[in-house]
Amino acid sequence: MYQTKAYSAASATSPLASTLIPRREPTARDVQIEILFCGICHSDLHTARNEWSSVMQTTYPCVPGHEIVGRVVKVGSEVTKYKAGDTVGVGCLVDSDQSCPCCQENLENLCANGIFTYNSPDKHGTAPVTYGGYSSSIVVDEHFVLRIPANLDLAGAAPLLCAGITTYSPMMRAKVGPGKKVGIVGLGGLGHMGVKLADAFGAHVVVFTTSPHKQDDALRLGADEVVLSDHPDQMQKHAGSFDFILDCVSAEHDINAYLSLLKHDGNMTLVGAPEKPLTLSAFSLIFGRRTLSGSLIGGIAETQEMLDFCGQHNITSDVEVIPIQSLNEAYERMSKSDVKYRFSIDMASLK
Ligand code: NAP
Ligand code: ZN
């Protein structure tokens, strides 16, 4: 075991602060990574503040961070895919049982025994729960380590590990591409990656935002149209016209208003995970035979596929790079939808 620098929350109401955390020495299948950048996902904030307590309680101290990019410093004796010096990533998952039907289908994200990068039981016993990427170093089973394409900017690549795969996976399932009209609801970290990817897939992309000042950015990021979602006249113009809508909103909002914009047999997928339950009118689905689904990140093979796609198309997140000392300010700004469009922590600031 060794100690590494980190930032943790001591309780749901305390600001994140500097600390030391234990990491295990790499075992035979482990990769030890020096973390260079870590994106700030809204899930980090939900967890640090125990906003999802009705589904999963946060154990404190909590070290969030699951959009990790770094450099391999050491590998275990059985590791074959990576060597010291490689540029790698770690997303939301660090383990799964690797034997259940989900894992056999490369859907480790759906494994009932999946271990998230933070706030999951630590089966190695290094600490009560796993600690995430707001730290200098992490040790991860090589199966859950991803390769970062060499051409990508590292600060901008970090958010691909969660925001990228979470938007890529449902759009691949929905066959988003040329001839499809796709809506992206909420232009935050996930939403702006959804826009970039849907545009790269060749779809007609419409952004729904509550922030009028984000309209120009939405077009620059690849949207074909922008709708201010609190203007009913603008919403009405799109009634019954979408093949697919991806809802990336982090707070309570009216999903029925979006469901009514789907064509018959259209699908809306929720990736945003608001703290409180959403209200669904049965008629929003019955009329038009529409479906509503959810999606959770993606499997490891699909995450690598997404990273390779981003490498080929030179897609990264638009990031504001911050020192870790600005973490609490970044959380405040994220809670006010004021991020353009992802914070990426420069981990050199933790040294
Ligand atoms: P984010 O950067 O904070 O973006 C959320 C966006 O939602 C905001 O920028 C804002 O967009 C919109 N929004 C916020 N409050 C709103 C409100 N009251 N009404 C309407 N719109 C509102 O968050 P993120 O990191 O993209 O994460 C989004 C959600 O996805 C979070 O709940 C997060 O936990 C969840 N998530 C889920 C998965 C998964 O696997 N399913 C993975 C990662 C994250 P506008 O300013 O454009 O309106
Ligand atoms: Zn995330």
Side-chain angles (χ1 to χ4, degrees):
M1 217 140 74
Y2 65 100
Q3 301 280 314
T4 192
K5 289 185 177 176
Y7 260 59
S8 71
S11 77
T13 51
S14 46
L16 285 96
S18 176
T19 188
L20 283 175
I21 54 165
R23 295 289 191 197
R24 66 179 181 272
E25 288 296 338
T27 66
R29 296 179 45 171
D30 281 336
V31 177
Q32 185 182 9
I33 301 162
E34 178 199 0
I35 301 177
L36 300 176
F37 292 96
C38 185
I40 301 181
C41 177
H42 207 115
S43 304
D44 300 351
L45 186 157
H46 288 306
T47 307
R49 297 186 178 171
N50 204 14
E51 291 178 352
W52 289 336
S53 57
S54 60
V55 184
M56 45 186 154
Q57 285 282 341
T58 303
T59 300
Y60 296 97
C62 170
V63 180
H66 57 206
E67 295 185 332
I68 297 167
V69 163
R71 193 143 290 139
V72 175
V73 289
K74 206 199 273 181
V75 297
S77 56
E78 291 171 21
V79 170
T80 56
K81 277 164 49 191
Y82 302 103
K83 60 177 187 325
D86 287 354
T87 306
V88 294
V90 178
C92 304
L93 287 169
V94 289
D95 214 340
S96 69
D97 61 30
Q98 296 185 54
S99 59
C100 72
C102 291
C103 288
Q104 282 169 16
E105 281 182 59
N106 295 322
L107 295 171
E108 300 89 341
N109 52 320
L110 305 183
C111 172
N113 299 307
I115 302 287
F116 290 114
T117 306
Y118 57 83
N119 200 43
S120 274
D122 181 353
K123 73 172 193 192
H124 296 271
T126 319
V129 288
T130 51
Y131 293 142
Y134 297 178
S135 60
S136 297
S137 169
I138 193 166
V139 177
V140 181
D141 182 311
E142 76 164 327
H143 181 75
F144 296 87
V145 176
L146 288 308
R147 191 170 295 283
I148 305 294
N151 57 313
L152 296 183
D153 167 67
L154 297 186
L160 301 178
L161 276 306
C162 174
I165 183 60
T166 301
T167 50
Y168 180 92
S169 182
M171 291 201 288
M172 290 300 281
R173 280 201 303 287
K175 300 192 168 34
V176 166
K180 293 276 177 82
K181 184 173 173 183
V182 171
I184 304 287
V185 188
L187 197 63
L190 264 58
H192 96 291
M193 286 314 309
V195 173
K196 288 188 182 207
L197 291 168
D199 180 47
F201 295 155
H204 182 87
V205 185
V206 182
V207 164
F208 295 92
T209 181
T210 59
S211 305
H213 62 276
K214 292 183 183 172
Q215 289 181 94
D216 289 346
D217 283 343
L219 297 172
R220 176 181 57 77
L221 291 164
D224 298 286
E225 298 178 63
V226 189
V227 172
L228 295 176
S229 50
D230 45 10
H231 289 227
D233 52 320
Q234 290 191 27
M235 294 287 278
Q236 192 49 39
K237 276 207 296 207
H238 292 272
S241 67
F242 282 89
D243 296 285
F244 178 72
I245 297 177
L246 189 65
D247 185 329
C248 306
V249 176
S250 53
E252 236 176 325
H253 61 293
D254 179 15
I255 55 171
N256 301 289
Y258 297 101
L259 287 167
S260 68
L261 305 186
L262 291 171
K263 279 180 185 167
H264 73 82
D265 293 319
N267 170 265
M268 174 154 124
T269 296
L270 302 177
V271 286
E275 161 181 8
K276 298 209 176 83
L278 300 167
T279 303
L280 172 67
S281 160
F283 294 102
S284 300
L285 299 180
I286 292 171
F287 289 131
R289 220 166 53 178
R290 299 162 175 135
T291 59
L292 176 65
S293 358
S295 193
L296 176 70
I297 45 173
I300 295 300
E302 194 179 34
T303 304
Q304 190 62 61
E305 176 189 303
M306 176 276 309
L307 286 166
D308 294 343
F309 179 87
C310 288
Q312 280 150 22
H313 296 263
N314 212 14
I315 294 173
T316 51
S317 178
D318 281 27
V319 287
E320 289 188 49
V321 179
I322 59 161
I324 199 158
Q325 292 76 13
S326 301
L327 197 47
N328 294 301
E329 196 188 313
Y331 271 33
E332 281 318 303
R333 283 186 51 199
M334 186 159 64
S335 64
K336 296 186 190 114
S337 303
D338 175 26
V339 194
K340 291 194 167 173
Y341 278 88
R342 198 56 141 188
F343 290 114
S344 186
I345 306 166
D346 181 352
M347 219 47 81
S349 61
L350 190 54
K351 288 219 169 102

